[in-house]
Amino acid sequence: MTANPIVHIIDDDASLRLSLCSLFRSIGLDAMAHESVRCFLDTPRPDVPGCLLLDVRMPGIGGLEFQTQLQGLGICLPVIIMTGHGDIPMSVRAMKAGALDFLPKPCREQDLLDAVSAAIEQDRSSRVGRDTVAQLRSLYETLSPRERQVMALVTAGRLNKQIAGDLGLSEITVKIHRGAGMRKMGARTLADLVRMAETLKLVTPSV
């Protein structure tokens, strides 16, 4: 499987798809072209950084409609909208829905390449963030239920003595759970543990 970034083009104009693929490959990017949203969804996608280049008006599902469905489909690729029929309300709608750029057809090649480069860099950064959360979640799953309780209370600012009272434990037992949780999470300091809890969005348990 290639690790090269991929630009996913969804446009019903065959000549444009061919032209765009040639343009992106000329700067070292891979491109996958699809004549419709359905073709895109039916095609296996390598798990590498990339972006979606969507035409607004296509048979079946249009670009703006598909953009609103991405999250529900578990597709996290950044979106660039292209259209030859754009207007200000349409561009505002696309940007509010999370599109990184809204480009007219035809557009300057450099404008398109700049937009695609920015989208790919955003996707790279997002992937690093998602990988970090997944790794932390995996470590968190190794904690016992009591260690999770103690971690949540410690990172909420509760002292060991207070946690002991909250959970009906001795203070030394709280310290043992706290130490075990920090070792399992790979946290060297309380500040590390707090940052991990914020990343995981832990909720302080009711006691």
Side-chain angles (χ1 to χ4, degrees):
M1 182 180 294
T2 179
N4 210 35
I6 296 176
V7 182
H8 300 272
I9 304 160
I10 309 179
D11 196 299
D12 62 337
D13 185 330
S15 62
L16 181 61
R17 293 197 304 271
L18 183 63
S19 174
L20 291 175
C21 284
S22 178
L23 173 64
F24 296 133
R25 288 167 182 160
S26 73
I27 63 166
L29 295 176
D30 287 341
M32 296 179 67
H34 313 272
E35 64 181 356
S36 67
V37 167
R38 176 47 53 195
C39 289
F40 169 78
L41 293 174
D42 289 343
T43 302
R45 295 180 298 280
D47 186 18
V48 298
C51 66
L52 268 173
L53 189 57
L54 292 177
D55 185 25
V56 169
R57 295 187 179 179
M58 295 181 287
I61 301 173
L64 293 180
E65 181 183 356
F66 184 46
Q67 184 188 6
T68 65
Q69 299 174 7
L70 292 174
Q71 185 173 0
L73 293 169
I75 299 172
C76 300
L77 292 167
V79 171
I80 298 168
I81 297 289
M82 289 185 66
T83 181
H85 312 279
D87 53 32
I88 291 177
M90 187 183 291
S91 64
V92 169
R93 175 185 167 190
M95 302 302 275
K96 283 187 174 181
L100 291 190
D101 218 328
F102 189 96
L103 301 175
K105 289 182 180 178
C107 68
R108 291 178 61 246
E109 288 187 355
Q110 192 57 54
D111 290 341
L112 177 57
L113 293 176
D114 288 346
V116 165
S117 295
I120 289 173
E121 285 307 309
Q122 184 190 82
D123 192 37
R124 282 197 177 106
S125 297
S126 297
R127 285 169 177 271
V128 171
R130 291 196 296 271
D131 288 346
T132 298
V133 172
Q135 290 168 3
L136 287 178
R137 180 62 60 184
S138 179
L139 292 173
Y140 183 73
E141 294 298 325
T142 68
L143 271 59
S144 69
R146 184 65 83 187
E147 289 164 353
R148 294 179 190 179
Q149 279 185 311
V150 170
M151 176 178 172
L153 291 168
V154 166
T155 55
R158 303 286 285 174
L159 302 176
N160 289 342
K161 183 176 182 179
Q162 294 172 314
I163 296 171
D166 291 338
L167 300 180
L169 303 172
S170 67
E171 192 171 345
I172 187 65
T173 300
V174 170
K175 289 180 180 178
I176 291 171
H177 286 311
R178 174 175 171 169
M182 289 184 69
R183 284 194 299 275
K184 290 180 181 179
M185 293 299 296
R188 293 174 297 175
T189 66
L190 176 58
D192 288 341
L193 198 66
V194 169
R195 283 191 290 270
M196 292 173 180
E198 290 175 346
T199 299
L200 292 170
K201 296 180 171 57
L202 296 187
V203 177
T204 304
S206 56
V207 293

